[in-house]
Amino acid sequence: MQQASISEFFEKNKHFLGFDTLNRSIITATKESVDNSLDACEEARLLPDIHIEIRKVKGKTDELIMISQDNGPGIPPDSITKVFGSLLFGSRFHTIRQTRGQQGIGITGVVMYSQLTTGKKTQVISKVKQEATAVYVNIGLDTKKNKAISSKRRRDHWFNSEGEIIEHGVKVQAHLKAKYQRGKQSVHQYLRMTSIVNPHASLSLVVYDEEGEVIDEGNWPRVTDTLPHPVKEIRPHPHGLEIGSLQRFLRDSKERKMTSFLRHNFSGVSVRAAREILYKSEIDEARKPSSITAPEVQAMLEAFKKVKLLSPPTDCLSPIEDLLIKKGLSKAIDSKFVSTVTRAPSVAGGNPFQVEVGLIFGTDLPSDSPVEVLRIANRVPLMYQQGGCLLTKSIESVDWKKYGLEHPGGRGVPKGPAAILVHLASTNVFFTSEAKEALSDNEEVFNEIRLALQEVGRGLRNHKRKSKQREKAREKFELVNVILPEISAKASSILGREEPDLAPVITNIMNAIFSEEMSEWDSTEKVTKCSIKLFNYTNRPRQYTILATWPEREGVEMVNENYEGRREAKGLRKWKLDTLQPSENLEISFSIDGLSKGDWTQFDVFFRGSGDIIGAMKLDEKILEEIRREEMAAIEEEALATKFIIDDVMEFDTDSSGDLDSDELDDAIRGPLGDVIDETTGSEVVETHDAGESGTLDREEITDAISDKNTHQANLFSEEWSDE
Amino acid sequence: MDFSRDKTAESVISSLHQVAEEMHNKMMKGTAPTMSLPVRTKKNIEFNKRLGVFKYGKKRSLRDATSLRSANQLLRALHIIEFIEEMINSGKSSTLREMYYISEAWGNGKFGSQNESNNLAEDLEIVTKCMREDFKLRPEEDGARMIGDITINERNRKGDWMKINARDDVGDSGYGLPYNVESEKLRLIENDIDFIMAIETGGMFDRLVENGFDEEHRAGLLHLKGQPARSTRRMLKRMNEEWNLPVIVFLDGDPWSFRIFASIAYGAIKTAHISEYLATPSASYLGITADDILAYDLPSDDLSSKDIEALKAELTDPRFADGWWQEQINMMLDLGKKAEQQSLAKYGLDFVTDTYLPEKLAGLGLI
């Protein structure tokens, strides 16, 4: 930036900055403002209300005014110029956690573009709660000095259109050479997608032409009042490390020993692992990090691959969550069926990532056109380069014909009245180009997305089958409940005879087992009431095990089960039923606590047993195996993490007694026990957890102490560590 | 030859009850109620040598309550049975159209369309071997009109017998047949004609009347009004049998007219159960034939794809199985043309009565 002038820089990099075409420029400008607003609101734990206004400028060709206003915390007066005038301002470029900010140059790009194309400055109003007045200022760029300059700065009260004072927020107004277009690649679509993947945000848009007539508008209110949980920073993981970064870390490190260097700067590395790494790379533990030579660095990288490390922590990720995606999609797109899935977090090349997928079916789209593809990376919609994106390729690779979408030749995007949403949340998203509109290939991510898509695909297939069966069942139910009794009554009346007992006639006509499930919100008890009714309309007694899906997760539990059930797998409950006699029916009922209205409106019912049940699906044992296997793997990983912590803790057994006394525990608490255990002194820990009453804690008692609380791997690297 | 006399009110009701019984018995046994009827398509029409007409064969179809649609049909059948029994017991009657509207009050037993209602009434006729007159049901169809020296007695609304001659006592549009032409309602008294000519179009009927064809050639003229109603066919049969009068049929030359002839001479597929009462096996087809189109070089139209389909279907219709019909149908297919009877006017208004008809009737040995 020192050598080239701003305008030259801009010209050269227009494409990846997002200002290469008139249509795209307004989208980029909106994107930058909205991203800033969302990030700021999330940090301040506020529910975002963001309004975008776009006006065509009268008398000028292709000039628009963009006004963006949020209710965020506001920018402190001293930082305003830096935020709007500096390319690299902001904490988000230095830490590793899931952020939107990776994907853009920031609002400064908008200020630059605005000035270069229209000569105008960007007007900013910012109010923080602590100050009595808001700051009004214009930001521009001094092209000679390559610096941001502010002008016309003043303080005043800021009022909204109703005359009420605004306590906190930011308003940005910029003139841009840009064109507003409607349709697929438009600000409208961008905001629509943004609202789906930020269900806690309320967004609105209004667009005016030169005469002040409204030519486009949109309103997307929030569907939840729950903010996404704050993302935590994590240290880099050795598997994702490049030689240059490792050298830099070593050079810059102030640590005095290699073991502490390894454990303090990376995630997933325990004491044992650190020792093993150094052993394998033939580096003495006591060496100073700054003394490591280039070949030794190389050896370390090799050793990283050979030593068993923990996966990086995944609470640095903020998935949208399947139930919220469902709510957001249902609100945005009219449809008959929505299925969403949030996969467990995973790791690719040292970077934690998480895949979420949504399939919405039965939309207004014509059935022979390609499905609408919604690609999201870290809660930011990707609007361009759909064909070259990893997310699209994953969609194309699934055999959709199996699940009920047309997929001619198995190539390309499937066709049908549907939309498919794919969200990749990761600490490090890799793009195909600087333009940052398409994700580059990655095998682990590709496979995870495929698995998720197959899961929602199965949901769609089940839904279609169920609908068809439902229709047939409905007809049959009408037949036996309405028409048959009338036939019986009329025939008997005509003949003057007694009416027959219809039960055997009904089983003769139906000759099937029926299952009907129902889910509805009880607003008095604030639970979701579910029931499964089973009818035996055959002439033989039947015995079945019934299973049902439910959103098993933290904070949600199943209550008021009338038949005792058991957990078959995560999110799958089973009931082994008694024999059902011919013409008999029974009802399984339960409630789900911890959800809100509209979260759980349909669920799948499966069965084990002979014959067919109309309205339920035979359990696919293979898929169940797969689910169990994934669960076991997660449990093993968790157990391994606990073991590593214990190993590290036992390192504090300085007198090698085999257990820890209160002094040794004091040290351990300042170390790996960190905030796993929140008692502050070793003696308190001993008192609480000394089951054997020995005055010290052995390995088992420590394990219990840790399992008592939630284990956060990130706490292995608490900032409160002192040097060993 | 009268049949309705055979059926007393009790026997009609008892036959209808049998339908309800089949359903009731099945339900008492714990199975779905059913109604069995003969299959009513051309695949199940057989020629009955003794009666000289086509009747339904042995194939039966079973309507049962295993689908919503057929269960509804069973319910409707029961409603009709109840309705008919009420009419018989209270001495009332109703048209098919009225019955269709009355069904609106039958809740789930109501009909979706007039056709459905008519078809079910026919189903009941077949199953019970009764006629709809026994059910006190009347059609909407128009009966034919006749002109000629024919004298009949018709019983009017008040129950009095009126003597009517179809030439002297009627205007230009002739005598209109009532819906019931059985002897309780209409008696054949006397005639002074040599044959009956049944004519398809009103235009041709009026032409022959205007030209005095009936007087000149001692004919009884009958306007069929397109697809002839049951009463029309019954009347032709009665006059043919009771007075021994030949019946000649003069229609347009196209596949649909061939079917009209077949329904007069051999029996209609829909009324095959009562063909022996409605068909006149000795009726002759005068024209327009395929070779007439050629011989007289008549103005003609191309056969449409539907016409061709109909002709091809007739090739396999048992009623057109004989050699002469097969020849005529194939000739028309080869020719690719059809012609209206009124196209004879190409040669002048009097050509039909002066030349065409005399030539054709001479060929049949009637004049």
Side-chain angles (χ1 to χ4, degrees):
Chain A
M1 271 290 287
Q2 304 290 355
Q3 272 68 42
S5 73
I6 291 176
S7 35
E8 278 174 27
F9 167 79
F10 217 84
E11 252 329 294
K12 218 171 71 168
N13 298 298
K14 239 177 19 177
H15 181 62
F16 83 79
L17 291 172
F19 292 101
D20 48 339
T21 67
L22 293 175
N23 288 328
R24 197 167 167 203
S25 300
I26 184 64
I27 296 179
T28 305
T30 309
K31 201 171 175 172
E32 298 299 349
S33 313
V34 170
D35 279 357
N36 276 9
S37 303
L38 288 170
D39 276 343
C41 284
E42 259 161 62
E43 263 186 60
R45 313 306 290 160
L46 291 165
L47 289 169
D49 289 325
I50 305 173
H51 177 67
I52 305 284
E53 186 183 309
I54 296 174
R55 283 180 184 279
K56 285 195 183 169
V57 176
K58 198 168 184 168
K60 296 255 169 81
T61 12
D62 298 334
E63 187 170 315
L64 300 175
I65 303 177
M66 180 202 73
I67 305 171
S68 162
Q69 182 169 339
D70 70 42
N71 65 338
I75 304 168
D78 295 334
S79 311
I80 296 177
T81 313
K82 275 185 243 161
V83 167
F84 284 86
S86 155
L87 283 175
L88 296 172
F89 190 81
S91 61
R92 61 175 97 99
F93 289 94
H94 292 301
T95 58
I96 295 174
R97 55 181 176 153
Q98 177 191 341
T99 63
R100 297 179 181 79
Q102 283 181 345
Q103 293 153 233
I105 195 178
I107 195 77
T108 306
V110 179
V111 176
M112 273 196 241
Y113 180 76
S114 165
Q115 186 160 323
L116 286 172
T117 56
T118 67
K120 296 206 164 58
K121 305 245 186 340
T122 299
Q123 297 170 39
V124 175
I125 309 175
S126 167
K127 166 83 170 61
V128 296
K129 215 156 68 162
Q130 301 89 320
E131 304 263 334
T133 51
V135 174
Y136 287 66
V137 66
N138 291 357
I139 310 280
L141 291 162
D142 183 329
T143 52
K144 291 198 198 84
K145 293 190 190 145
N146 286 346
K147 249 180 50 175
I149 40 170
S150 63
S151 57
K152 297 217 173 98
R153 194 179 181 113
R154 64 189 172 91
R155 300 276 247 186
D156 204 345
H157 294 291
W158 184 17
F159 297 99
N160 65 15
S161 51
E162 270 119 57
E164 296 159 338
I165 199 156
I166 294 178
E167 292 290 351
H168 50 84
V170 169
K171 182 171 179 176
V172 179
Q173 179 168 317
H175 281 243
L176 310 158
K177 195 145 181 77
K179 239 190 187 138
Y180 182 81
Q181 85 175 1
R182 305 166 67 158
K184 232 170 140 192
Q185 281 156 348
S186 63
V187 172
H188 190 282
Q189 173 71 347
Y190 175 78
L191 290 173
R192 172 176 172 253
M193 283 171 75
T194 302
S195 93
I196 293 175
V197 299
N198 291 286
H200 61 292
S202 287
L203 307 173
S204 59
L205 167 74
V206 65
V207 183
Y208 300 100
D209 70 6
E210 299 93 337
E211 309 302 323
E213 297 291 321
V214 173
I215 54 171
D216 205 356
E217 61 187 331
N219 189 31
W220 302 273
R222 61 175 57 91
V223 295
T224 180
D225 287 342
T226 315
L227 279 161
H229 30 252
V231 287
K232 293 188 168 189
E233 292 176 25
I234 61 159
R235 301 289 176 184
H237 192 270
H239 286 160
L241 214 49
E242 288 171 356
I243 191 163
S245 323
L246 181 53
Q247 280 174 327
R248 214 179 339 115
F249 281 133
L250 286 162
R251 200 182 53 228
D252 296 342
S253 170
K254 296 192 173 61
E255 304 277 357
R256 291 200 282 267
K257 288 202 297 197
M258 274 308 285
T259 36
S260 32
F261 165 78
L262 282 174
R263 292 183 56 218
H264 291 180
N265 284 286
F266 302 102
S267 65
V269 180
S270 66
V271 177
R272 293 260 154 108
R275 291 217 172 104
E276 223 181 304
I277 290 165
L278 293 171
Y279 178 73
K280 283 200 156 72
S281 33
E282 293 174 10
I283 297 170
D284 190 86
E285 288 176 24
R287 290 272 299 278
K288 269 205 179 138
S290 40
S291 71
I292 304 298
T293 64
E296 285 170 328
V297 173
Q298 188 62 42
M300 278 176 74
L301 282 177
E302 293 298 318
F304 281 146
K305 294 197 195 114
K306 297 198 193 115
V307 174
K308 170 87 180 154
L309 300 171
L310 278 175
S311 301
T314 49
D315 52 6
C316 53
L317 297 173
S318 180
I320 304 163
E321 264 169 53
D322 50 1
L323 296 182
L324 287 176
I325 299 180
K326 200 185 248 194
K327 253 189 174 149
L329 277 175
S330 307
K331 217 160 190 193
I333 304 178
D334 254 333
S335 74
K336 293 199 206 97
F337 171 77
V338 186
S339 174
T340 56
V341 119
T342 296
R343 296 279 297 173
S346 188
V347 182
N351 289 307
F353 75 93
Q354 196 164 8
V355 163
E356 300 183 285
V357 145
L359 171 62
I360 188 163
F361 183 80
T363 67
D364 287 332
L365 288 180
S367 19
D368 58 354
S369 67
V371 305
E372 188 180 355
V373 173
L374 303 168
R375 300 171 295 137
I376 327 279
N378 285 340
R379 293 179 182 245
V380 174
L382 304 176
M383 310 278 289
Y384 299 89
Q385 295 174 21
Q386 179 171 307
C389 179
L390 169 70
L391 304 182
T392 312
K393 290 183 195 172
S394 318
I395 295 175
E396 291 170 348
S397 76
V398 171
D399 178 14
W400 289 102
K401 274 198 283 258
K402 241 179 25 182
Y403 303 115
L405 288 176
E406 285 192 33
H407 203 192
R411 281 193 310 269
V413 165
K415 291 195 190 331
I420 301 178
L421 179 152
V422 182
H423 176 222
L424 175 66
S426 179
T427 52
N428 211 349
V429 175
F430 291 104
F431 293 95
T432 57
S433 73
E434 295 287 3
K436 298 200 172 148
E437 284 293 338
L439 300 186
S440 56
D441 292 344
N442 180 300
E443 200 179 323
E444 287 106 327
V445 175
F446 180 79
N447 288 334
E448 265 296 298
I449 298 176
R450 270 177 60 88
L451 287 172
L453 289 172
Q454 284 165 341
E455 214 178 306
V456 293
R458 284 195 291 273
L460 176 65
R461 187 181 56 198
N462 292 344
H463 165 79
K464 282 182 137 189
R465 199 180 299 172
K466 226 199 294 188
S467 301
K468 234 195 280 178
Q469 285 184 337
R470 277 266 143 85
E471 192 43 49
K472 270 170 67 184
R474 194 199 58 79
E475 274 194 18
K476 284 232 149 137
F477 273 112
E478 184 179 337
L479 204 175
V480 298
N481 288 329
V482 179
I483 308 295
L484 186 67
E486 280 189 37
I487 290 177
S488 165
K490 191 126 317 268
S492 309
S493 136
I494 288 172
L495 298 168
R497 294 192 199 161
E498 234 179 80
E499 274 198 59
D501 170 25
L502 290 179
V505 185
I506 291 177
T507 57
N508 179 261
I509 290 175
M510 301 288 246
N511 199 29
I513 317 275
F514 283 88
S515 159
E516 261 186 359
E517 84 277 355
M518 204 246 340
S519 162
E520 82 188 345
W521 173 252
D522 183 329
S523 42
T524 14
E525 289 177 48
K526 302 269 194 281
V527 291
T528 305
K529 283 205 154 109
C530 300
S531 69
I532 303 170
K533 285 205 187 96
L534 221 58
F535 301 86
N536 182 358
Y537 285 135
T538 68
N539 49 18
R540 281 179 23 225
R542 306 272 177 169
Q543 212 248 336
Y544 288 107
T545 299
I546 298 293
L547 305 102
T549 55
W550 69 288
E552 183 181 348
R553 64 200 55 198
E554 207 180 305
V556 177
E557 53 171 337
M558 193 181 279
V559 298
N560 293 338
E561 264 183 299
N562 67 341
Y563 280 91
E564 200 191 317
R566 267 194 230 272
R567 184 184 191 273
E568 180 74 354
K570 179 160 187 211
L572 195 62
R573 189 91 176 148
K574 85 167 170 210
W575 299 270
K576 188 159 179 183
L577 302 175
D578 295 327
T579 308
L580 200 57
Q581 297 300 329
S583 301
E584 226 191 300
N585 61 51
L586 65 73
E587 180 175 338
I588 299 171
S589 67
F590 54 92
S591 295
I592 300 177
D593 194 10
L595 298 174
S596 40
K597 181 175 181 185
D599 275 347
W600 191 246
T601 52
Q602 343 164 289
F603 59 97
D604 288 327
V605 177
F606 301 90
F607 70 94
R608 281 201 182 107
S610 68
D612 233 339
I613 298 187
I614 296 185
M617 241 114 26
K618 202 159 188 138
L619 185 67
D620 185 338
E621 306 290 346
K622 272 200 295 203
I623 292 177
L624 183 61
E625 261 318 297
E626 188 58 44
I627 294 173
R628 285 226 183 88
R629 215 159 0 107
E630 282 177 7
E631 266 186 282
M632 282 317 298
I635 291 174
E636 275 167 21
E637 182 80 22
E638 178 111 13
L640 194 64
T642 308
K643 177 180 176 301
F644 276 35
I645 293 177
I646 307 286
D647 286 349
D648 280 9
V649 166
M650 294 312 285
E651 293 287 321
F652 287 86
D653 181 13
T654 40
D655 58 10
S656 302
S657 57
D659 46 20
L660 298 183
D661 59 34
S662 42
D663 291 328
E664 289 165 335
L665 276 168
D666 272 331
D667 290 334
I669 283 168
R670 281 200 299 271
L673 283 176
D675 18 12
V676 175
I677 292 175
D678 51 26
E679 286 100 325
T680 48
T681 68
S683 26
E684 279 171 8
V685 178
V686 172
E687 226 179 277
T688 325
H689 300 284
D690 185 12
E693 287 175 15
S694 57
T696 57
L697 294 188
D698 60 26
R699 197 183 171 97
E700 215 179 284
E701 287 160 340
I702 295 174
T703 311
D704 287 340
I706 291 178
S707 313
D708 237 353
K709 317 278 175 170
N710 291 322
T711 311
H712 286 285
Q713 298 168 44
N715 295 312
L716 282 170
F717 312 103
S718 154
E719 299 281 15
E720 282 122 49
W721 276 29
S722 57
D723 255 74
E724 283 189 300
Chain B
M1 277 302 158
D2 279 343
F3 49 84
S4 49
R5 287 284 152 74
D6 301 326
K7 302 280 181 178
T8 59
E10 288 82 28
S11 65
V12 173
I13 292 177
S14 152
S15 307
L16 288 171
H17 277 202
Q18 273 172 21
V19 176
E21 256 184 54
E22 184 183 339
M23 292 191 215
H24 192 269
N25 288 342
K26 283 271 164 75
M27 287 190 285
M28 289 299 275
K29 282 203 215 125
T31 56
T34 60
M35 187 169 141
S36 64
L37 344 142
V39 172
R40 295 171 61 200
T41 65
K42 73 178 182 195
K43 294 208 177 91
N44 193 32
I45 308 210
E46 293 171 351
F47 187 70
N48 182 312
K49 285 211 179 85
R50 182 175 68 82
L51 299 167
V53 295
F54 282 86
K55 299 214 54 152
Y56 289 127
K58 296 195 194 56
K59 296 203 181 96
R60 301 192 81 71
S61 74
L62 199 68
R63 230 170 251 165
D64 68 9
T66 52
S67 84
L68 187 60
R69 215 168 45 87
S70 47
N72 274 321
Q73 286 291 75
L74 295 183
L75 181 60
R76 287 179 194 132
L78 289 173
H79 274 279
I80 294 184
I81 290 172
E82 191 178 56
F83 174 64
I84 292 171
E85 194 172 337
E86 274 167 26
M87 279 200 298
I88 291 177
N89 287 335
S90 58
K92 300 222 110 197
S93 68
S94 107
T95 65
L96 290 169
R97 191 103 186 115
E98 282 174 312
M99 183 173 82
Y100 167 66
Y101 281 121
I102 283 171
S103 84
E104 292 274 322
W106 292 347
N108 288 311
K110 89 171 192 193
F111 285 103
S113 70
Q114 179 71 61
N115 254 345
E116 247 179 51
S117 163
N118 293 353
N119 286 338
L120 203 41
E122 279 169 13
D123 286 344
L124 285 174
E125 280 185 301
I126 295 166
V127 168
T128 60
K129 297 195 180 20
C130 296
M131 297 261 293
R132 61 190 180 200
E133 286 76 6
D134 298 320
F135 297 157
K136 306 297 174 204
L137 287 174
R138 297 196 312 277
E140 294 295 315
E141 307 145 328
D142 276 340
R145 45 193 182 115
M146 286 197 315
I147 281 190
D149 195 347
I150 298 169
T151 310
I152 52 102
N153 270 0
E154 183 184 330
R155 196 172 207 171
N156 68 14
R157 282 175 289 173
K158 298 202 184 88
D160 302 322
W161 287 99
M162 295 166 54
K163 187 176 186 186
I164 304 173
N165 178 281
R167 191 182 52 194
D168 304 326
D169 299 331
V170 299
D172 290 346
S173 46
Y175 166 67
L177 296 178
Y179 81 91
N180 184 358
V181 296
E182 298 311 316
S183 49
E184 73 224 12
K185 176 88 177 162
L186 191 149
R187 290 184 184 145
L188 302 179
I189 304 297
E190 59 180 358
N191 74 86
D192 192 23
I193 54 175
D194 293 338
F195 62 92
I196 310 229
M197 181 175 293
I199 300 150
E200 183 174 349
T201 62
M204 180 57 73
F205 179 83
D206 292 338
R207 169 60 41 220
L208 298 189
V209 167
E210 192 179 294
N211 290 8
F213 185 85
D214 57 317
E215 294 209 24
E216 198 183 323
H217 295 282
R218 298 171 50 75
L221 302 175
L222 187 139
H223 174 212
L224 294 168
K225 293 205 176 166
Q227 185 83 252
R230 282 196 202 184
S231 54
T232 309
R233 292 186 276 148
R234 179 73 184 135
M235 188 65 176
L236 286 170
K237 187 191 182 64
R238 284 194 65 188
M239 291 193 287
N240 170 262
E241 268 185 354
E242 289 171 40
W243 282 339
N244 256 316
L245 285 171
V247 169
I248 317 294
V249 186
F250 179 29
L251 311 169
D252 287 338
D254 69 44
W256 313 101
S257 305
F258 297 164
R259 282 189 185 161
I260 290 177
F261 176 76
S263 74
I264 293 172
Y266 310 134
I269 298 180
K270 283 192 82 191
T271 49
H273 53 303
I274 42 177
S275 293
E276 65 263 40
Y277 303 119
L278 302 179
T280 309
S282 60
S284 316
Y285 185 80
L286 180 136
I288 305 286
T289 58
D291 39 355
D292 282 344
I293 302 178
L294 283 172
Y296 294 91
D297 190 26
L298 294 175
S300 55
D301 292 311
D302 290 332
L303 292 174
S304 73
S305 51
K306 278 209 143 67
D307 294 330
I308 295 175
E309 251 178 70
L311 285 169
K312 288 197 175 142
E314 276 156 21
L315 284 174
T316 54
D317 187 325
R319 299 171 300 162
F320 296 104
D322 85 16
W324 185 81
W325 271 115
Q326 293 283 308
E327 202 189 306
Q328 283 299 312
I329 294 170
N330 280 315
M331 204 186 297
M332 185 167 276
L333 278 169
D334 289 339
L335 195 56
K337 299 267 189 213
K338 57 185 176 184
E340 294 177 28
Q341 57 186 186
Q342 293 183 63
S343 68
L344 290 163
K346 168 181 176 180
Y347 299 103
L349 295 174
D350 298 334
F351 180 76
V352 59
T353 47
D354 288 348
T355 314
Y356 175 79
L357 284 177
E359 280 179 15
K360 297 286 290 208
L361 289 167
L364 288 168
L366 283 161
I367 48 172

